[in-house]
């Protein structure tokens, strides 16, 4: 194949109408080390290597969306309890999952701040002078806050230059809040964004590049037993009184407290219960760190839905609260999330670090759909697939129908079919390099099949290819067609399994999820990932994508 022939292929088959000679030259140069070129151009083996190579990806590797809109106009890759290594009740806390999340493009890191569990200090002084990160009310271990902050500083912008938001779930005394303020300021220095008079409504991911933002509830004087007669005492809700009581109990019986608190985890998980605004804040250093104020107004959800855009705020709801709110306030949530930030987090009963359907939040404009990155499963795969969009930078622009100024989108009304997607599964390779030869079967090569489906606001049932028996290099050559409503809120799910007729469970051979609105037409190399979302070095599929408007498709 000559240079002209490759250019014609890029234009006619791959849909790269603007392909230039330089693009073809890059492909030629990427294959020269293989020493498979005849004098006049690309031979069949070289062409095949290009098709299955890293240059022929199904998604653009570049950030291409408008990044100058307000923060509220973007979905943000968000973690939940980002410091946990495993389950939500008894696993270890560490900086390792924080580093991993940032390396995977996560832009919102959650840290739960508590006074350190130092029994000697509590007994001698009735208090503590250090801060640790842990899942309060559980048996999880702790990690020092300073170690977490240093890990964030080191890894924040290795993968993406766009801003990192740290959400604090704050259970600290006033003196410890002051200590946190000094610690954060010293660690991040010029990387820390300090709020200005105009607020966040005019700030964008582009203007906040390489900045770290703190989001938590504004401080109020922390009331403990010994200063219950303070003149600054304000009325608390029953939930807040319960939080303080549990904190006091922890000084005498930590393990008992763990079980008591966890039983009511959905109510205290955010540390952002209804509260009076404290007009005379006693910790100005801490207050001045907060770029995105969090917490529910005195009137609850209904009051939050009536807020204007003068000052961007963040509300947090657990997944059940959001589901219940969407029944009555669906359009209102879409309207308010045009300007304010909404964070949704997993319910407390997900002890195994499982996750929920993210599309409930996304179709209502929720910017921060917080996920347990420690687990596995299709919902986590979908989350990972969604944020492979826009160059994997961790920010994905909301679809226009969620941002219209005069017409609020009604999430309860089904979207019309907007695109037709054809997916042809040709073949696969690389498993023999990533897996031991007896991994799938002791006596023979694997029996691979591929499952393909669409997840989103208009999901489709997964289809299956035929089974190709006893082959490390399977060929299927099967095509599937899907109707897609709301492609910006849809991902293509692909999973490879090794069929085992002698077992109830088939063996896992790899998976991937791809944002449908960003699929590149043509024949593409699709890398496969393991159950945790880590890309295999070699295993991949050769797939053809054809995404068109319904009127352009013929039977």
């Amino acid at each position: 194949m000559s240079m002209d022939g490759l250019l014609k292929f890029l234009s006619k088959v791959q849909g790269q109408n603007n392909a230039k000679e330089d693009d073809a030259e890059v492909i030629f140069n990427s294959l020269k080390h293989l020493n498979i070129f005849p004098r006049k151009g690309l031979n069949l083996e070289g062409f095949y290597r290009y098709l299955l190579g890293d240059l022929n990806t199904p998604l653009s590797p570049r950030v291409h969306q408008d990044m100058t809109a307000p923060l509220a106009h973007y979905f943000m890759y968000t973690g939940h309890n980002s410091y946990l290594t495993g389950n939500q009740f008894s696993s270890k806390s560490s900086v390792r999952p924080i580093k991993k999340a940032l390396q995977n493009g996560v832009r919102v890191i959650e840290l739960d701040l508590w006074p350190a569990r130092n029994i000697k200090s509590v007994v001698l002084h009735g208090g503590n002078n250090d801060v640790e990160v842990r899942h309060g009310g559980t048996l999880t271990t702790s990690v020092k806050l300073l170690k977490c902050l240093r890990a964030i500083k080191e890894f924040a912008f290795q993968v993406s230059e766009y801003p990192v938001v740290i959400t604090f779930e704050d259970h600290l005394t006033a003196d410890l809040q002051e200590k946190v303020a000094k610690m954060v300021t010293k660690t991040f220095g010029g990387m820390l964004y300090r709020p200005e008079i105009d607020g966040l409504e005019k700030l964008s991911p582009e203007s906040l590049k390489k900045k770290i933002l703190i989001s938590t509830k504004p401080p109020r004087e922390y009331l403990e037993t010994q200063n219950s007669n303070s003149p600054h005492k304000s009325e608390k809700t029953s939930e807040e009184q319960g939080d303080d009581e549990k904190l006091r109990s922890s000084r005498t019986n930590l393990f008992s407290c763990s079980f008591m608190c966890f039983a009511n985890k959905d109510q205290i998980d955010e540390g952002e219960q209804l509260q009076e605004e404290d007009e005379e804040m006693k910790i100005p250093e801490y207050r001045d760190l907060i770029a995105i104020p969090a917490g529910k107004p005195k009137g609850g959800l209904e009051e939050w839905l009536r807020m204007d855009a003068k000052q961007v705020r963040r509300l947090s709801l657990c997944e059940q609260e959001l589901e219940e709110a969407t029944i009555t306030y669906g359009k209102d949530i879409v309207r308010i999330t045009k300007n304010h930030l909404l964070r949704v987090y997993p319910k407390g009963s997900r002890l195994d670090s499982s996750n929920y359907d993210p599309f409930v939040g996304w179709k209502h404009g929720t910017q921060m759909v917080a996920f347990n990155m420690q687990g596995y499963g299709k919902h986590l795969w979908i989350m990972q697939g969604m944020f492979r969009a826009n160059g994997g930078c961790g920010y994905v622009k909301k679809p226009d129908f969620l941002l219209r100024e005069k017409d609020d989108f009604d999430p309860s009304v089904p979207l019309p079919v907007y695109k037709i997607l054809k997916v042809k599964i040709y073949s696969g390779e690389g498993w023999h390099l990533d897996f031991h030869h007896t991994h799938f079967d002791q006596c023979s090569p694997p029996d691979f099949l591929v499952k393909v489906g669409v997840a989103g606001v208009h999901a489709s049932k997964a289809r299956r290819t035929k089974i190709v028996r006893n082959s490390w290099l399977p060929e299927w050559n099967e095509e599937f067609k899907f109707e897609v409503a709301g492609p910006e809120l849809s991902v293509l799910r692909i999973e490879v399994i090794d069929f085992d007729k002698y077992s109830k469970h088939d063996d896992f051979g790899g998976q991937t999820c791809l944002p449908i609105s960003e699929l590149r037409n043509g024949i593409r190399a699709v890398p496969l990932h393991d159950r945790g979302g880590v890309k295999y070095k070699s295993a991949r599929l050769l797939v053809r994508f054809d995404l068109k408007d319904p009127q352009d498709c013929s039977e």
Side-chain angles (χ1 to χ4, degrees):
M1 180 182 283
S2 66
M3 183 79 72
D4 288 342
L6 182 55
L7 273 173
K8 184 181 291 186
F9 174 80
L10 294 177
S11 176
K12 299 294 185 181
V13 179
Q14 304 294 75
Q16 297 172 223
N17 298 323
N18 297 322
K20 300 177 181 178
E21 189 170 315
D22 290 347
D23 300 310
E25 188 70 34
V26 169
I27 294 172
F28 271 77
N29 291 337
S30 72
L31 299 168
K32 282 184 177 179
H33 69 283
L34 299 176
N35 296 319
I36 54 178
F37 283 91
R39 291 182 180 178
K40 295 184 178 180
L42 197 63
N43 65 11
L44 183 60
E45 184 180 355
F47 180 66
Y48 186 68
R49 287 297 99 204
Y50 149 67
L51 285 180
L52 279 163
D54 293 335
L55 289 178
N56 190 31
T57 58
L59 305 172
S60 170
R62 300 180 180 86
V63 176
H64 57 87
Q65 296 179 352
D66 173 23
M67 302 301 286
T68 63
L71 276 183
H73 289 199
Y74 298 85
F75 298 128
M76 304 160 70
Y77 202 177
T78 303
H80 174 252
N81 291 345
S82 304
Y83 48 88
L84 288 181
T85 58
N87 68 65
Q88 301 290 304
F89 187 67
S90 60
S91 66
K92 293 182 179 180
S93 298
S94 169
V95 297
R96 291 195 306 274
I98 296 173
K99 295 176 181 179
K100 181 180 177 182
L102 292 169
Q103 289 175 316
N104 289 335
V106 171
R107 298 289 86 190
V108 184
I109 299 293
E110 182 190 26
L111 302 178
D112 293 9
L113 309 185
W114 292 83
R117 292 181 289 196
N118 186 321
I119 299 298
K120 182 177 180 180
S121 177
V122 171
V123 171
L124 294 178
H125 308 293
N128 206 300
N129 65 348
D130 204 357
V131 180
E132 65 184 19
V133 174
R134 58 183 164 87
H135 197 194
T138 70
L139 301 180
T140 58
T141 64
S142 63
V143 59
K144 295 295 185 183
L145 171 61
L146 185 58
K147 293 181 66 175
C148 296
L149 297 179
R150 287 173 174 170
I152 293 172
K153 179 181 180 180
E154 181 180 357
F155 290 88
F157 305 113
Q158 287 191 0
V159 171
S160 170
E161 294 184 330
Y162 292 99
V164 168
V165 178
I166 305 175
T167 62
F168 286 158
E169 181 187 312
D170 178 358
H171 302 274
L172 302 176
T173 58
D175 57 328
L176 288 181
Q177 287 180 337
E178 184 177 1
K179 183 171 183 177
V180 169
K182 293 177 180 178
M183 197 183 303
V184 169
T185 301
K186 183 177 180 180
T187 301
F188 296 128
M191 299 169 65
L192 185 66
Y193 171 79
R194 291 187 175 275
E196 300 174 357
I197 296 176
D198 289 341
L200 278 177
E201 62 273 10
K202 296 183 179 180
L203 294 172
S204 66
E206 186 67 29
S207 66
L208 291 168
K209 270 187 174 181
K210 292 195 173 180
K211 289 293 185 181
I212 291 175
L213 289 73
I214 304 299
S215 179
T216 188
K217 62 186 178 184
R220 55 182 172 78
E221 185 170 6
Y222 192 94
L223 301 180
E224 295 183 291
T225 304
Q226 60 266 35
N227 64 353
S228 59
N229 295 323
S230 167
H232 300 285
K233 181 177 180 180
S234 59
E235 183 179 352
K236 295 184 180 183
T237 64
S238 59
E239 292 92 347
E240 288 175 316
Q241 292 170 348
D243 284 354
D244 288 349
E245 180 61 36
K246 287 162 188 172
L247 187 58
R248 287 194 296 271
S249 298
S250 69
R251 293 174 179 162
T252 56
N253 193 336
L254 293 175
F255 289 109
S256 175
C257 170
S258 295
F259 289 105
M260 288 170 59
C261 294
F262 202 82
N264 197 31
K265 196 63 187 158
D266 282 346
Q267 280 69 50
I268 68 170
D269 196 51
E270 268 302 297
E272 293 177 8
Q273 303 307 315
L274 305 183
Q275 59 183 317
E276 297 280 355
E277 293 288 352
D278 190 349
E279 297 298 333
E280 297 182 11
M281 295 178 179
K282 298 300 178 181
I283 316 98
E285 299 90 347
Y286 189 72
R287 177 200 62 204
D288 292 344
L289 293 178
I290 302 174
I292 307 175
K296 298 175 182 176
K298 188 165 59 173
L301 177 64
E302 292 83 357
E303 186 66 25
W304 183 76
L305 292 172
R306 287 194 288 268
M307 288 195 303
D308 58 29
K310 290 182 180 179
Q311 183 186 22
V312 174
R313 298 183 67 87
R314 172 174 68 83
L315 174 71
S316 288
L317 301 172
C318 77
E319 57 178 289
Q320 292 172 314
E321 288 177 313
L322 176 67
E323 290 178 0
E324 293 170 2
T326 58
I327 298 173
T328 305
Y329 302 109
K331 290 184 68 174
D332 295 314
I333 295 174
V334 171
R335 174 183 51 79
I336 202 70
T337 52
K338 294 175 187 177
N339 299 305
H340 297 279
L341 300 175
L342 176 59
R343 179 178 178 271
V344 179
Y345 58 93
K347 59 186 178 182
S349 59
R350 293 188 180 275
L351 304 184
D352 58 353
S353 291
S354 61
N355 288 297
Y356 50 99
D357 182 1
F359 291 106
V360 176
W362 286 335
K363 75 178 182 179
H364 287 85
T366 303
Q367 297 88 351
M368 300 179 181
V369 178
F371 258 36
N372 294 315
M373 303 296 174
Q374 313 89 346
Y376 304 113
K378 70 174 185 178
H379 289 139
L380 181 59
W381 299 347
I382 289 170
M383 174 66 67
Q384 293 165 343
M386 183 72 167
F387 284 97
R388 291 189 178 112
N390 201 25
C393 73
Y395 285 81
V396 175
K397 187 84 181 297
K398 290 185 190 180
D400 290 340
F401 60 78
L402 289 176
L403 298 172
R404 293 192 297 254
E405 292 186 9
K406 296 182 180 179
D407 178 25
D408 293 332
F409 170 68
D410 188 348
S412 66
V413 177
L415 290 168
V417 173
Y418 187 68
K419 294 286 185 181
I420 300 295
L421 174 63
K422 293 181 181 179
V423 181
K424 186 168 186 178
I425 309 293
Y426 285 115
S427 61
E429 69 164 32
W431 289 280
H432 68 292
L433 298 175
D434 292 326
F435 296 86
H436 191 269
H437 70 280
T438 60
H439 177 85
F440 296 105
D441 198 302
Q442 290 288 330
C443 305
S444 63
D447 304 323
F448 283 134
L449 64 85
V450 183
K451 295 195 295 184
V452 187
V454 171
V457 293
H458 179 73
S460 66
K461 187 176 181 180
R463 324 274 181 84
R464 293 187 173 208
T465 66
K466 63 187 177 185
I467 302 169
V468 177
R469 298 191 180 277
N470 301 323
S471 177
W472 289 102
L473 296 170
E475 295 183 14
W476 296 278
N477 297 312
E478 293 188 49
E479 184 175 86
F480 306 97
K481 185 171 74 171
F482 301 96
E483 295 181 342
V484 183
E488 303 95 338
L489 295 181
S490 302
V491 300
L492 179 70
R493 290 190 60 212
I494 299 176
E495 184 177 358
V496 179
I497 60 175
D498 170 45
F499 178 76
D500 189 347
K501 64 180 179 181
Y502 299 110
S503 173
K504 294 182 179 180
H505 303 287
D506 297 322
D507 292 324
F508 176 80
Q511 59 83 24
T512 194
C513 286
L514 302 169
I516 288 179
S517 63
E518 299 215 355
L519 285 174
R520 302 165 73 192
N521 282 339
I523 303 171
R524 303 293 176 181
V526 178
L528 296 175
H529 303 76
D530 66 14
R531 294 183 188 274
V534 178
K535 186 168 69 173
Y536 292 126
K537 290 182 178 179
S538 304
R540 59 194 59 202
L541 299 174
L542 191 63
V543 183
R544 182 165 188 166
F545 301 107
D546 187 13
L547 184 64
K548 292 183 178 180
D549 296 334
Q551 59 269 25
D552 296 333
C553 297
S554 57
E555 295 294 334

